[in-house]
Amino acid sequence: MGQTARTTKLLLDLSTRDQGGTNPGKREHLTETVSILNAARRFYLDFFLVHPEKLMERVEVISKKTGEVREQVISADNLLTWAEFQTVETPDHPTPLPEWNFSRAFPGLPNRYRRSVIKDVIGKARGYLTSVRKWHASGKKQGKPGIPTASNHPTLYAGTFSLELDELDVRKSFIRLKVYTGTGWMWVHYPICYNRYFERRRAESGWETASPTLILSKQSAVIHFLQTKTIKARKIVESKRDPDLVTVAVDLNVKHLAVITVRQHGMIKATQFVSDHGLDQHRYQHLKRVAKKQWQAGKAVKGEHSNQQLWAHVRRQNLDCAHKTARAIVEVCEKYPECVLVFERLRKINAKGASRSRRLNRKQANQLKGKINQLAKEKAYAIGVVSVEVNPHGTSQYCSRCGCLGVRFTYRAGQRITGRGGKLFACPACHYECHADFNASVNVHHSFFRGAPRKRQRRVRKPRLSEYLVCT
Ligand SMILES: [Zn+2]
């Protein structure tokens, strides 16, 4: 049993009015709301840090399951009630602490926002107090934990937002947010960038949606819906005992981004090559340009970033490619329920030699491998497939049939040319020839089964010469 999470994003349309965006001024409302909530968070952070003893108070709790009485740190809900009692004016309780009167400082702030702010601050303040205590206990002079910052992305509890997706034409859909307009708190409609994937992901069964957060950046405003799902999956140890186990092995490379092989009962059942569709070459052209510009411009200015748009383009392409490759891997896994996904443990590779542009490109290719690995693991876990990493020792060098050390070669103009970097693999012992990446992928399966912790055999000690003499 485990849990996995994902974020589904909904973009607010902040383009100009004639392009279907918001009315002028609505964007400022969002900025203002965020800054007011940050100020409110500052208020409660100061309030809690003045009362640290309450924050860490131990209370007795009766367990619902066993009925036992235990001592525990006060729960966030109780703390919230206490904090509201101390700071908020109500008809029943008109006199909060005079120096901590929240109702006077922030008149009209919706109570849902206030609660989300308090809950947020409780976590921050507790984390701070714990790290300060640990720091004192360690006796170190340096590294004192800093006071947490108050700014954060606002969490939208029910009652501060509502999604209106019931319209027939979903392209005209809006989200209603409670924002500060400069004079008071009001409900304001914001058009959203409709996309069909959003609805599909939100409606997918098995996923639970938590309160969304509003992420406001310089260019855009996005609402993030965090979804969680409980996953039931077998442990690797249990899977290994299953004689009908299907293993899906992936070998990550540069040109063939992933070579996926499926094995059951010692036989390879399916193979799939995922190509990069010329990404490597394309990226190389861009990086050549970057390298040339850097060389022309001389020493880089500290704190400044050059070629930002080009780098952003490379990053976007890499990420997109990683997502697509990971998806291809997971689609293979989907066909074989209860399979195990096997990866090689990625090596740390230092790009060296060659030109600067080539080194940059190698670095990017290695990072892409890591990204594919990470994304494929996450996506596979969401469908209940567990992944393992195996020892990468010699996967590309040894024959997958007989285990002998092989050679790499390639055909050029009908001539066999042996050497490193050849696309093909040949075994001198059993004369097996195949694609080198395929061979590596099959070897990953071997690594997985070989990697089982074997029972240690007791070594028989060879008797010493003196012991022989005693016996005879
Ligand atoms: Zn062989």
Side-chain angles (χ1 to χ4, degrees):
M1 289 278 266
Q3 234 189 10
T4 182
R6 71 180 186 189
T7 313
T8 306
K9 298 174 189 174
L10 185 65
L11 218 69
L12 299 190
D13 194 351
L14 293 179
S15 55
T16 53
R17 184 73 193 88
D18 52 342
Q19 285 168 1
T22 52
N23 286 327
K26 282 194 181 177
R27 152 95 217 190
E28 282 70 49
H29 297 344
L30 289 179
T31 323
E32 214 151 312
T33 309
V34 169
S35 66
I36 286 188
L37 291 179
N38 280 344
R41 223 171 269 126
R42 177 90 264 159
F43 176 93
Y44 274 109
L45 196 62
D46 293 343
F47 173 74
F48 276 120
L49 291 182
V50 171
H51 303 94
E53 70 293 332
K54 183 72 190 175
L55 204 61
M56 294 310 221
E57 193 187 29
R58 318 249 341 149
V59 288
E60 287 190 340
V61 183
I62 301 166
S63 167
K64 274 180 192 165
K65 271 186 191 166
T66 54
E68 277 175 36
V69 180
R70 276 181 301 149
E71 210 178 59
Q72 218 177 28
V73 176
I74 187 168
S75 75
D77 284 329
N78 288 342
L79 212 51
L80 180 124
T81 320
W82 173 80
E84 287 196 323
F85 185 78
Q86 302 293 334
T87 55
V88 180
E89 273 181 22
T90 56
D92 300 340
H93 177 70
T95 50
L97 298 176
E99 66 272 30
W100 295 109
N101 194 333
F102 186 79
S103 309
R104 291 272 166 79
F106 298 90
L109 192 108
N111 56 6
R112 303 296 170 95
Y113 273 136
R114 188 180 64 224
R115 281 182 197 151
S116 81
V117 161
I118 295 175
K119 276 274 177 78
D120 198 3
V121 163
I122 288 172
K124 280 184 183 225
R126 266 192 184 156
Y128 169 69
L129 289 182
T130 316
S131 52
V132 164
R133 205 178 52 211
K134 273 185 189 159
W135 176 73
H136 274 299
S138 71
K140 281 182 196 162
K141 280 186 181 166
Q142 285 180 331
K144 188 180 181 190
I147 290 176
T149 53
S151 49
N152 203 349
H153 302 296
T155 310
L156 305 171
Y157 281 14
T160 55
F161 85 106
S162 76
L163 254 180
E164 292 168 9
L165 297 170
D166 311 327
E167 303 254 344
L168 278 179
D169 187 3
V170 196
R171 270 162 290 183
K172 284 180 190 157
S173 49
F174 288 90
I175 187 165
R176 240 155 55 101
L177 294 174
K178 199 149 200 182
V179 294
Y180 189 74
T181 56
T183 48
W185 292 85
M186 291 223 262
W187 285 102
V188 175
H189 278 79
Y190 284 90
I192 52 180
C193 294
Y194 166 73
N195 69 66
R196 59 204 151 106
Y197 303 110
F198 173 74
E199 254 323 278
R200 206 186 296 161
R201 272 168 81 100
R202 236 168 79 90
E204 210 172 302
S205 65
W207 290 91
E208 268 181 53
T209 309
S211 296
T213 44
L214 173 70
I215 312 286
L216 196 65
S217 67
K218 268 181 196 164
Q219 272 97 29
S220 64
V222 190
I223 295 188
H224 285 206
F225 291 84
L226 185 75
Q227 293 177 301
T228 52
K229 188 183 183 184
T230 317
I231 302 287
K232 266 187 189 171
R234 277 197 300 187
K235 283 183 179 157
I236 293 289
V237 192
E238 291 167 27
S239 298
K240 250 184 185 171
R241 285 192 215 115
D242 182 5
D244 300 324
L245 175 70
V246 180
T247 47
V248 179
V250 181
D251 180 53
L252 299 173
N253 293 296
V254 177
K255 290 269 162 69
H256 286 117
L257 282 177
V259 180
I260 312 162
T261 50
V262 182
R263 181 179 124 148
Q264 191 182 24
H265 302 138
M267 302 269 283
I268 298 296
K269 292 176 74 177
T271 309
Q272 196 185 334
F273 283 70
V274 183
S275 152
D276 71 342
H277 300 288
L279 173 74
D280 191 54
Q281 189 59 32
H282 182 102
R283 192 176 51 212
Y284 181 52
Q285 299 300 337
H286 284 314
L287 294 179
K288 263 206 294 210
R289 202 175 152 76
V290 169
K292 189 180 175 191
K293 279 164 109 181
Q294 285 178 348
W295 175 72
Q296 281 172 335
K299 209 175 170 194
V301 182
K302 214 174 179 186
E304 271 183 31
H305 222 293
S306 59
N307 300 306
Q308 287 188 30
Q309 290 182 330
L310 217 50
W311 278 116
H313 171 67
V314 168
R315 243 182 336 230
R316 261 196 314 270
Q317 277 193 321
N318 273 352
L319 188 63
D320 177 61
C321 193
H323 270 291
K324 281 177 181 160
T325 314
R327 192 69 238 160
I329 295 169
V330 174
E331 266 164 20
V332 174
C333 293
E334 267 172 347
K335 289 183 207 156
Y336 307 96
E338 301 225 310
C339 65
V340 172
L341 183 59
V342 191
F343 280 102
E344 290 185 310
R345 200 171 306 124
L346 292 178
R347 280 171 270 217
K348 263 193 190 161
I349 304 167
N350 282 332
K352 57 186 176 211
S355 61
R356 178 166 166 73
S357 45
R358 188 166 291 206
R359 283 201 307 271
L360 285 175
N361 198 23
R362 280 287 147 275
K363 210 170 166 186
Q364 290 289 318
N366 289 329
Q367 284 174 2
L368 179 60
K369 272 190 197 177
K371 199 78 204 169
I372 294 173
N373 184 306
Q374 179 207 341
L375 290 174
K377 276 181 186 171
E378 285 171 10
K379 286 180 208 280
Y381 192 61
I383 61 162
V385 171
V386 184
S387 43
V388 264
E389 286 194 341
V390 297
N391 191 353
H393 172 74
T395 40
S396 58
Q397 293 167 33
Y398 294 97
C399 171
S400 60
R401 279 207 181 158
C402 67
C404 283
L405 192 65
V407 284
R408 300 279 284 262
F409 72 99
T410 185
Y411 278 113
R412 212 169 289 156
Q415 291 280 313
R416 256 177 98 113
I417 297 163
T418 44
R420 278 174 60 102
K423 274 182 197 165
L424 301 166
F425 176 89
C427 172
C430 68
H431 301 291
Y432 174 54
E433 288 183 3
C434 65
H435 195 284
D437 296 341
F438 172 76
N439 183 57
S441 185
V442 177
N443 270 331
V444 173
H445 289 284
H446 293 322
S447 248
F448 172 67
F449 287 106
R450 207 186 318 125
R454 252 180 281 163
K455 242 188 197 170
R456 255 225 180 129
Q457 282 179 347
R458 274 180 73 192
R459 269 166 71 194
V460 183
R461 191 169 61 89
K462 221 175 164 185
R464 286 192 201 129
L465 189 64
S466 55
E467 284 167 315
Y468 277 118
L469 293 174
V470 171
C471 294
T472 52

